[in-house]
């Protein structure tokens, strides 16, 4: 995974084994995974991995901009390894998170300044949706 090593170095982090496998898991296998999702996907091949290692590694990644924290339905932390700027649509029924491409659905432009001298650095939009799976009538 040479480009994962480079990705860690660019973020100013040492490329340790757990960091590499967790970065790989976020980037390749899962979409907006929870700590539990990542742990479950890795534990079979890496039985010595602990949940707290996953949690701490994600915390480091988030602080160094390698992935971003997603607030979705429920209390569980989820992370997003998609580097491109995008917004999220969160299903109010099942809590699934969908990526919304800003090229297709652009953001409204934010004001440059908010009250109390707050300088606007960015804007993030979260759509509240009902996904197509939840819209279908329940079977039975
Ligand atoms: Zn849904
Ligand atoms: Zn996303």
């Amino acid at each position: 995974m040479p480009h994962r090593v480079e990705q860690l170095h660019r973020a100013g982090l040492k490329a340790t084994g757990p960091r590499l496998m967790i970065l790989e898991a976020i980037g390749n296998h899962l979409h907006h995974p929870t700590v539990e999702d990542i742990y479950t996907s890795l534990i079979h091949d890496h039985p010595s991995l602990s949940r707290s290692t996953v949690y701490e590694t994600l915390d480091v990644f988030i602080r160094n901009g390698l992935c971003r924290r997603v607030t979705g339905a429920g209390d569980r932390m989820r992370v997003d390894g998609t580097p491109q700027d995008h917004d999220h649509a969160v299903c109010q029924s099942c809590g699934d998170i969908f990526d919304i491409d800003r090229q297709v659905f652009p953001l409204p432009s934010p004001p440059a300044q908010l009250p109390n001298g707050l300088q606007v650095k960015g804007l993030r939009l979260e759509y509240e949706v009902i996904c197509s799976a939840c819209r279908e009538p329940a079977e039975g």
Side-chain angles (χ1 to χ4, degrees), residues 31-32 68 70 79-82 84 86-88 97-100:
H31 197 60
H32 306 113
R68 98 188 195 208
V70 182
V79 294
D80 191 336
T82 306
Q84 296 85 11
H86 64 277
D87 293 294
H88 286 141
I97 302 175
F98 303 86
D99 283 342
I100 304 297

Side-chain angles (χ1 to χ4, degrees), residues 74-135:
D75 301 327
R76 291 185 309 170
M77 173 171 98
R78 297 173 72 155
V79 294
D80 191 336
T82 306
Q84 296 85 11
D85 252 350
H86 64 277
D87 293 294
H88 286 141
V90 182
C91 176
Q92 294 189 300
S93 177
C94 67
D96 251 16
I97 302 175
F98 303 86
D99 283 342
I100 304 297
D101 189 348
R102 279 192 191 167
Q103 310 283 332
V104 185
F105 301 98
L107 284 177
S109 32
Q113 206 85 39
L114 289 171
N116 305 317
L118 300 173
Q119 201 190 348
V120 177
K121 306 290 280 178
L123 180 65
R124 212 166 269 178
L125 204 61
E126 189 175 286
Y127 298 88
E128 294 173 345
V129 299
I130 299 292
C131 77
S132 53
C134 289
R135 253 198 342 255

Side-chain angles (χ1 to χ4, degrees), residues 2-133:
H3 93 274
R4 301 287 179 208
V5 174
E6 198 189 305
Q7 215 181 332
L8 285 166
H9 287 171
R10 260 187 283 126
L13 297 172
K14 273 193 210 138
T16 64
R19 283 177 182 169
L20 281 170
M21 69 171 100
I22 291 168
L23 191 60
E24 188 76 6
I26 298 168
N28 285 355
H29 306 306
L30 298 156
H31 197 60
H32 306 113
T34 61
V35 170
E36 194 61 29
D37 290 335
I38 293 170
Y39 176 78
T40 311
S41 79
L42 293 171
I43 193 62
H44 181 74
D45 293 330
H46 308 278
S48 65
L49 188 72
S50 72
R51 280 179 181 81
S52 63
T53 301
V54 175
Y55 191 87
E56 283 157 22
T57 304
L58 291 177
D59 193 53
V60 170
F61 285 178
I62 290 167
R63 277 189 278 119
N64 289 276
L66 277 169
C67 63
R68 98 188 195 208
R69 194 190 176 114
V70 182
T71 42
D75 301 327
R76 291 185 309 170
M77 173 171 98
R78 297 173 72 155
V79 294
D80 191 336
T82 306
Q84 296 85 11
D85 252 350
H86 64 277
D87 293 294
H88 286 141
V90 182
C91 176
Q92 294 189 300
S93 177
C94 67
D96 251 16
I97 302 175
F98 303 86
D99 283 342
I100 304 297
D101 189 348
R102 279 192 191 167
Q103 310 283 332
V104 185
F105 301 98
L107 284 177
S109 32
Q113 206 85 39
L114 289 171
N116 305 317
L118 300 173
Q119 201 190 348
V120 177
K121 306 290 280 178
L123 180 65
R124 212 166 269 178
L125 204 61
E126 189 175 286
Y127 298 88
E128 294 173 345
V129 299
I130 299 292
C131 77
S132 53

